[in-house]
């Protein structure tokens, strides 16, 4: 591909971690770069670490500080090797030096059992350095003329007096004045400049970070210093929306925003842009586009100084979680000179940044945002102790801020008024109206925030129609063929008329869709990394449902003799090896029943081995372990951890081995189940890693049962579990453990989305 002229205007394109994690995404980026060059622009590419790597580096540091690195380092290297393989590149040749450097840094942390801010910055920077080295090599293979540039050679942090060492290394700021020297340097380079987000240097040439999400800010710095024609931020959503589309049904694309409005949305909880990325482009008047690599033809959101609509209106409703509210009350503050200065000094002395403020004659109430503060219980206690010398103090945690963002908010209070009825039964702890007239914020109890956002959005944001500001809804971007954002309509919407007919002869009914069950079964069967799947029949034991699942080829996990009898009565010819019995604090007769019927049996505590050891002589059993941490969509469904009753804790693993030897029993399988409703695709890899370590105690283990808990979307707009990512996360592990089978035992994943409850409304 031909190089571009050096006098052409610059365009900076930033790509996030999910946009640079697969070959498919890079093929889209390749086409975008071609398009920008044909447009007569010179691209500067800024991108993040591969999706998941920054979190893995965080975990790697934590493990190393405890004297261990677990499998984190291997996993990080594996992720890059897999992408390099997809690129057709030799990972060792491209990234070998980085792998060695990372290993050395981690060895040092493991040796001293401590992570300094300086070392943390160096380790975290490796994610961006490795990903950009890999992408640069691939783009050159594709025929581009790509120059890899170390962002630390350009971006130097401000040495701000008063900034903590931690902030200066992990959340640094850089100057963004127009830089003629940089423009001349880059103009002397043919082709495309490719560099890193997130990283910079300080005046001592030490690596510093721009804070999590700082790649947006890096790109904005480069755009400002180059006087770029525009900045394009490419992410996994098609622009900025009127609310979090994963949480609020009917969230609408914001086609155009002013810089100030975008800043407010980003600062009040919008997750698409980092709040600090807007100031540099705003200062230099550079348009900012927010686009999606998954929907590259969509126009997305354009942010500029121009306003396409000056009418008063609410454009977005957002929320922030984990807010701490501090109320200071005393009659002594009335007309007292210096009270606020003394009170606020208590915060600044502890390095705490105040967010919202509300005052009256006898009360000052402020909020602390966790995104801007590092807080723990001890720090809040210190704050409370210091303030008590001045006033009566109340500290409330687990608060949320709900914000209405738009323009000329004060001019439309009469329209907002009726919408505020949603707060009728919910206490408002603080109300703040920005002097800029851009937002109106309410501090409420955390558990009420989601519902309030939904109701405010439905009241204040029109659900249809399109104008200069609002585009189509999040749902309208979806189609049955496009699974990137959301699946096709639920079956019960498609078959609405049939469901209504069901109630012609009854008042209520549970109805299940066969095709939905079959689809869920097929998704599970397509997992290449999983050898066997057992359906947990406690999720739904209806005979017709079980027949569909049996026909699909799944096995069955049961928890009682009654469930065993049900399976045997429905499928008398079923192999007993297709049934797994997992009792919990059951009597001796239940264990004996399973063994007499040659049913696979799981032991989930030590009592059976201690009290009825003779039962298990010469028997093969599974052992259920508690890995120590539960996961799931609600506290009550987490089935592992210190308060769980399921599974043998890891500190009893040696005793378990000894008891099995005494009973002459053989552990052939290890099992763990951490919870229900889990949407994190990496969860089962973590379980597998824990079980693999435990298997060293049991030489005859040939099965790792990773449990179930596969989640389904519970709320409107919530993304489904990424089964491809789940399969990918387990594939490397299953290849390493060629002699061991991997099992899953989902329940509600198979049936929950297939079922509806129908009822007639009488009054």
């Amino acid at each position: 591909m031909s190089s571009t002229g050096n006098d052409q205007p610059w365009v900076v394109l930033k790509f996030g971690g999910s946009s640079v994690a697969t070959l498919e995404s890079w093929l889209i980026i390749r086409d975008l770069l071609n398009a920008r060059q044909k447009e007569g622009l010179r691209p500067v590419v800024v991108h993040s670490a591969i999706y998941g790597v920054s979190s893995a580096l965080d975990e790697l540091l934590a493990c190393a500080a405890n004297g261990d690195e677990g499998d984190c380092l291997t996993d990080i290297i594996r992720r890059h090797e897999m992408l390099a393989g997809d690129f057709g590149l030799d990972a060792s040749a491209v990234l070998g030096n980085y792998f060695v450097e990372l290993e050395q840094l981690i060895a040092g942390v493991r040796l001293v059992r401590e992570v300094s801010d300086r070392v943390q910055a160096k380790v975290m920077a490796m994610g961006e350095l490795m990903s950009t080295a890999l992408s640069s090599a691939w783009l050159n293979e594709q025929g581009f003329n790509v120059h890899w540039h170390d962002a630390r050679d350009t971006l130097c942090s401000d040495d701000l007096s008063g900034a903590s060492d931690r902030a200066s290394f992990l959340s640094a700021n850089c100057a963004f004045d127009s830089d003629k020297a940089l423009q001349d340097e880059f103009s002397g380079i043919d082709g495309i400049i490719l560099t890193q987000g997130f990283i910079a240097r300080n005046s001592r040439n030490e690596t510093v970070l721009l804070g999590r999400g700082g790649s947006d800010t890096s790109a904005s710095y480069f755009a400002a210093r180059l006087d770029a024609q525009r900045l394009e931020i490419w992410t996994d959503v098609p622009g900025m929306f009127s609310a979090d589309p994963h949480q609020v049904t009917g969230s609408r694309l914001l086609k155009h925003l002013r810089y100030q409005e975008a800043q407010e949305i980003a600062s009040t909880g919008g997750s698409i842009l980092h709040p600090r990325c807007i100031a540099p482009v705003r200062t230099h008047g550079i348009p900012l586009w927010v686009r999606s690599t998954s929907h590259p033809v969509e126009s997305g959101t354009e942010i500029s100084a121009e306003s396409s609509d000056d009418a008063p209106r609410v454009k977005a409703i957002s929320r922030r979680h984990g807010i701490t509210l501090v109320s200071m009350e005393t009659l002594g503050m009335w007309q007292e000179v210096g009270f606020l200065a003394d009170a606020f000094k208590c915060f600044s002395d502890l390095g705490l940044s105040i967010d919202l403020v509300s005052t009256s004659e006898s009360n000052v109430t402020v909020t602390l945002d966790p995104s801007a503060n590092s807080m723990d219980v001890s720090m809040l206690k210190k704050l409370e102790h210091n303030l008590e010398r001045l006033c009566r103090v109340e500290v409330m945690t687990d608060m949320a801020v709900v914000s209405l963002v738009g323009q000329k908010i004060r001019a439309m209070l009469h329209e907002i008024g009726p919408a505020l009825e949603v707060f009728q039964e919910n206490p408002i702890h603080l109300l703040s109206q920005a002097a800029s007239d851009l937002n109106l914020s309410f501090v409420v109890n955390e558990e009420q925030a989601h519902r309030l956002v939904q109701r405010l959005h439905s009241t204040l944001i029109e659900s249809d129609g399109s104008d200069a500001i609002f585009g189509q809804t999040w749902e309208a971007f979806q189609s049955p063929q496009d699974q990137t954002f959301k699946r096709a309509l639920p079956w019960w919407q498609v078959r609405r008329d049939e469901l209504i007919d069901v109630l012609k002869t009854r008042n209520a009914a549970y109805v299940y869709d066969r095709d939905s069950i079959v689809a869920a079964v097929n998704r599970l069967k397509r997992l290449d990394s999983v050898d066997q799947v057992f359906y947990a029949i406690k999720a739904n034991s209806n005979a017709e449902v079980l027949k569909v699942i049996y026909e699909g080829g799944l096995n069955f996990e049961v928890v009682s003799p009654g469930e065993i009898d049900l399976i045997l009565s429905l499928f008398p010819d079923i192999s007993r090896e297709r049934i797994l019995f997992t009792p919990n604090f059951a009597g001796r007769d239940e264990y004996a029943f399973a063994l007499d019927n040659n049913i696979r049996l799981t032991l989930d505590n030590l009592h059976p081995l201690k009290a009825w050891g003779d039962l298990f002589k010469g028997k093969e059993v599974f052992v259920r372990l508690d890995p120590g941490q539960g996961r799931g969509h609600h506290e009550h469904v987490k089935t592992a951890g210190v308060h769980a009753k399921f599974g043998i804790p890891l500190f009893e693993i040696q005793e378990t081995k000894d008891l099995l030897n005494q009973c002459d029993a053989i552990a052939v399988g290890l099992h763990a189940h951490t919870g229900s409703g889990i949407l994190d695709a990496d969860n089962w890899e973590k379980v597998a890693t824990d079980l693999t370590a435990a298997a060293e105690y049991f030489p005859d283990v040939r099965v790792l049962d990773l449990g179930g808990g596969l989640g389904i979307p519970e709320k409107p707009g919530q993304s489904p579990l990424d089964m491809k990512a789940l399969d990918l996360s387990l594939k490397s592990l299953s290849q390493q453990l060629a002699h061991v089978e991997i099992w899953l035992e989902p329940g509600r994943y198979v049936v929950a989305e297939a079922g509806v409850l129908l009822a007639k409304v009488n009054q």
Side-chain angles (χ1 to χ4, degrees):
M1 300 180 188
S2 61
S3 63
T4 57
N6 291 353
D7 58 346
Q8 294 171 312
W10 300 99
V11 58
V12 178
L13 299 95
K14 179 266 175 178
F15 299 95
S18 58
S19 296
V20 298
T22 65
L23 174 61
E24 292 79 9
S25 294
W26 273 104
L27 293 173
I28 294 171
I29 295 173
R30 180 193 64 186
D31 294 342
L32 288 172
L33 295 178
N34 269 324
R36 296 299 173 266
Q37 289 182 328
K38 289 178 181 177
E39 193 180 337
L41 299 172
R42 288 205 63 196
V44 174
V45 176
V46 178
H47 75 75
S48 304
I50 296 170
Y51 177 76
V53 167
S54 292
S55 296
L57 287 168
D58 259 338
E59 186 176 351
L60 175 61
L61 283 167
C63 291
N66 290 323
D68 183 25
E69 65 186 40
D71 294 319
C72 297
L73 182 57
T74 302
D75 175 63
I76 291 167
I77 293 174
R78 176 178 59 83
R79 289 174 188 249
H80 290 86
E81 288 176 339
M82 291 178 66
L83 183 57
D86 292 340
F87 282 166
L89 298 172
D90 182 347
S92 297
V94 179
L95 300 176
N97 290 337
Y98 290 113
F99 292 160
V100 171
E101 183 179 355
L102 182 58
E103 289 169 355
Q104 291 173 343
L105 286 168
I106 294 304
V109 173
R110 194 167 58 247
L111 180 65
V112 300
R113 302 289 181 93
E114 182 181 341
V115 183
S116 68
D117 298 328
R118 181 181 290 102
V119 169
Q120 183 174 351
K122 290 186 68 173
V123 170
M124 296 301 296
M126 296 297 291
E128 272 68 19
L129 293 169
M130 290 188 293
S131 65
T132 53
L134 198 56
S135 62
S136 176
W138 181 75
L139 286 171
N140 278 306
E141 289 286 330
Q142 295 296 301
F144 288 95
N145 183 10
V146 175
H147 173 79
W148 183 91
H149 177 77
D150 192 328
R152 296 170 296 184
D153 292 340
T154 297
L155 301 181
C156 182
S157 65
D158 298 323
D159 292 325
L160 298 175
S161 60
S164 67
D165 286 344
R166 185 167 183 81
S168 64
F169 274 104
L170 306 182
S171 188
N173 292 282
C174 299
F176 48 81
D177 297 328
S178 178
D179 188 340
K180 185 65 167 57
L182 179 66
Q183 294 169 28
D184 291 342
E185 177 190 344
F186 278 15
S187 293
I189 300 170
D190 286 333
I192 294 169
I193 311 293
L194 187 145
T195 189
Q196 308 78 36
F198 186 49
I199 68 174
R201 64 176 172 85
N202 60 22
S203 59
R204 299 180 298 279
N205 284 322
E206 297 167 315
T207 297
V208 299
L209 309 179
L210 304 182
R212 292 304 288 264
S215 290
D216 289 352
T217 309
S218 297
S220 188
Y221 287 157
F222 274 102
R225 297 182 68 169
L226 290 169
D227 287 327
Q229 182 166 305
R230 68 172 176 263
L231 167 62
E232 302 178 14
I233 291 188
W234 290 83
T235 180
D236 55 357
V237 295
M240 299 182 74
F241 280 77
S242 58
D244 183 347
H246 296 293
Q247 302 291 332
V248 180
T249 303
S251 298
R252 297 184 61 187
L253 176 70
L254 295 165
K255 296 193 292 186
H256 191 282
L257 291 169
R258 290 180 298 160
Y259 293 120
Q260 301 97 312
E261 295 164 343
Q263 181 74 62
E264 289 292 326
I265 293 172
S267 300
T268 57
S271 58
I272 304 303
L273 291 178
H274 193 282
R276 287 198 292 179
C277 81
I278 297 172
V281 290
R282 178 183 179 182
T283 300
H284 294 269
I286 299 170
L288 191 163
W289 290 4
V290 183
R291 300 286 183 88
S292 170
T293 46
S294 301
H295 285 65
V297 299
E298 298 291 346
S299 58
T301 301
E302 182 175 350
I303 301 167
S304 69
E306 301 297 324
S307 175
S308 55
D309 183 359
D310 287 327
R313 67 196 305 178
V314 173
K315 296 184 179 180
I317 301 171
S318 56
R319 62 169 174 162
R320 285 174 287 161
H321 302 279
I323 301 297
T324 296
L325 185 137
V326 181
S327 175
M328 298 164 277
E329 187 168 351
T330 175
L331 290 175
M333 74 173 66
W334 186 61
Q335 295 185 345
E336 180 182 337
V337 176
F339 173 82
L340 285 178
D342 292 339
F344 286 0
K345 188 175 185 299
C346 294
F347 291 85
S348 62
D349 287 347
L350 293 172
L352 296 174
S353 172
I354 292 172
D355 183 24
L356 302 178
V357 181
S358 175
T359 66
S360 69
E361 287 83 355
S362 61
N363 180 276
V364 177
T365 301
V366 303
T367 62
L368 303 174
D369 189 334
S371 66
N373 294 289
S374 178
M375 298 180 295
D376 55 25
V377 174
S378 63
M379 180 172 287
L380 290 178
K381 287 292 185 184
K382 289 179 184 176
L383 175 65
E384 189 172 0
H385 173 73
N386 293 343
L387 287 171
E388 282 176 344
R389 294 176 298 188
L390 302 173
C391 56
R392 186 166 66 250
V393 185
E394 182 179 8
V395 177
M396 291 179 278
T397 56
D398 297 325
M399 297 285 118
V401 177
V402 175
S403 298
L404 311 182
V405 180
Q407 59 190 17
K408 302 179 181 178
I409 295 289
R410 284 192 290 270
M412 60 177 302
L413 290 177
H414 61 289
E415 297 179 34
I416 296 175
L420 300 186
E421 291 181 2
V422 301
F423 294 104
Q424 184 175 359
E425 298 178 358
N426 304 287
I428 297 176
H429 301 284
L430 183 150
L431 175 64
S432 174
Q433 206 277 314
S436 61
D437 207 8
L438 291 171
N439 87 51
L440 182 62
S441 295
F442 308 86
V443 179
V444 298
N445 293 332
E446 177 77 65
E447 64 270 17
Q448 299 296 334
H450 175 69
R451 183 175 64 87
L452 292 172
V453 170
Q454 287 182 310
R455 292 183 61 185
L456 286 167
H457 189 275
S458 64
T459 304
L460 296 171
I461 306 293
E462 294 181 9
S463 59
D464 54 17
S466 182
D467 58 23
I469 301 299
F470 289 116
Q472 58 190 2
T473 65
W474 171 271
E475 289 77 14
F477 281 97
Q478 322 317 320
S479 69
Q481 292 77 34
D482 183 2
Q483 301 299 308
T484 303
F485 295 97
K486 191 175 178 180
R487 293 156 296 173
L489 288 173
W491 70 269
W492 45 269
Q493 289 186 20
V494 176
R495 305 181 67 180
R496 177 179 180 275
D497 293 339
E498 294 176 70
L499 290 170
I500 291 174
D501 287 342
V502 170
L503 288 190
K504 288 181 177 178
T505 57
R506 66 191 80 196
N507 290 323
Y510 285 105
V511 181
Y512 284 81
D513 178 56
R514 172 186 290 268
D515 291 343
S516 295
I517 298 174
V518 170
V521 169
N522 288 339
R523 288 195 296 271
L524 291 164
K525 295 285 285 184
R526 285 196 295 267
L527 294 172
D528 294 332
S529 57
V530 176
D531 296 285
Q532 294 200 52
V533 180
F534 287 72
Y535 168 65
I537 78 169
K538 58 180 171 289
N540 189 313
S541 57
N542 178 276
E544 296 303 315
V545 169
L546 294 178
K547 289 175 183 176
V548 175
I549 292 169
Y550 179 73
E551 292 166 3
L554 297 195
N555 307 315
F556 297 99
E557 190 265 343
V558 298
V559 297
S560 70
E563 290 183 347
I564 295 175
D565 287 337
L566 175 61
I567 295 299
L568 294 179
S569 65
L570 289 173
F571 317 113
D573 297 328
I574 189 173
S575 167
R576 299 306 192 263
E577 290 193 347
R578 292 185 59 187
I579 305 173
L580 175 65
F581 179 40
T582 310
N584 181 238
F585 291 94
R588 176 186 173 116
D589 56 331
E590 294 193 17
Y591 292 90
F593 175 84
L595 293 170
D596 291 344
N597 284 276
N598 297 316
I599 305 294
R600 297 183 189 270
L601 175 65
T602 302
L603 299 173
D604 84 335
N605 66 85
L606 298 183
H607 179 80
L609 293 173
K610 293 177 179 179
W612 316 311
D614 58 298
L615 270 180
F616 308 103
K617 183 176 177 60
K619 300 293 185 181
E620 294 184 345
V621 297
F622 280 59
V623 174
R624 178 171 179 174
L625 300 175
D626 179 351
Q629 181 180 1
R631 299 180 179 92
H633 63 99
H634 191 279
E635 198 64 36
H636 293 165
V637 300
K638 295 179 181 178
T639 52
V642 66
H643 297 298
K645 67 171 183 173
F646 302 97
I648 299 168
L650 295 180
F651 63 79
E652 292 182 351
I653 196 167
Q654 182 62 51
E655 186 179 2
T656 304
K657 177 182 179 180
D658 295 340
L659 286 170
L660 286 168
N661 290 337
Q662 292 172 21
C663 299
D664 195 21
I666 305 169
V668 296
L670 296 182
H671 172 206
H673 181 77
T674 53
S676 182
I678 301 168
L679 293 172
D680 178 6
D682 292 335
N683 171 72
W684 293 271
E685 181 183 12
K686 295 183 177 72
V687 175
T689 300
D690 291 337
L691 292 184
T692 300
E696 296 180 5
Y697 288 82
F698 307 101
D700 298 303
V701 163
R702 55 179 183 266
V703 174
L704 299 182
D705 183 346
L706 311 186
L710 285 74
I712 62 165
E714 301 275 350
K715 300 171 183 176
Q718 196 171 32
S719 299
L721 174 64
D722 188 337
M723 298 296 279
K724 184 177 180 180
L726 167 61
D727 201 21
L728 189 64
S729 70
L730 292 176
K731 187 168 293 185
S732 175
L733 193 66
S734 64
Q735 292 170 351
Q736 296 174 31
L737 304 172
H739 63 290
V740 175
E741 289 189 5
I742 302 293
W743 291 5
L744 288 179
E745 50 177 64
R748 62 198 301 270
Y749 178 83
V750 178
V751 293
E753 289 185 291
V756 293
L757 169 62
L758 302 181
K760 288 181 178 177
V761 178
N762 295 319
Q763 296 183 28

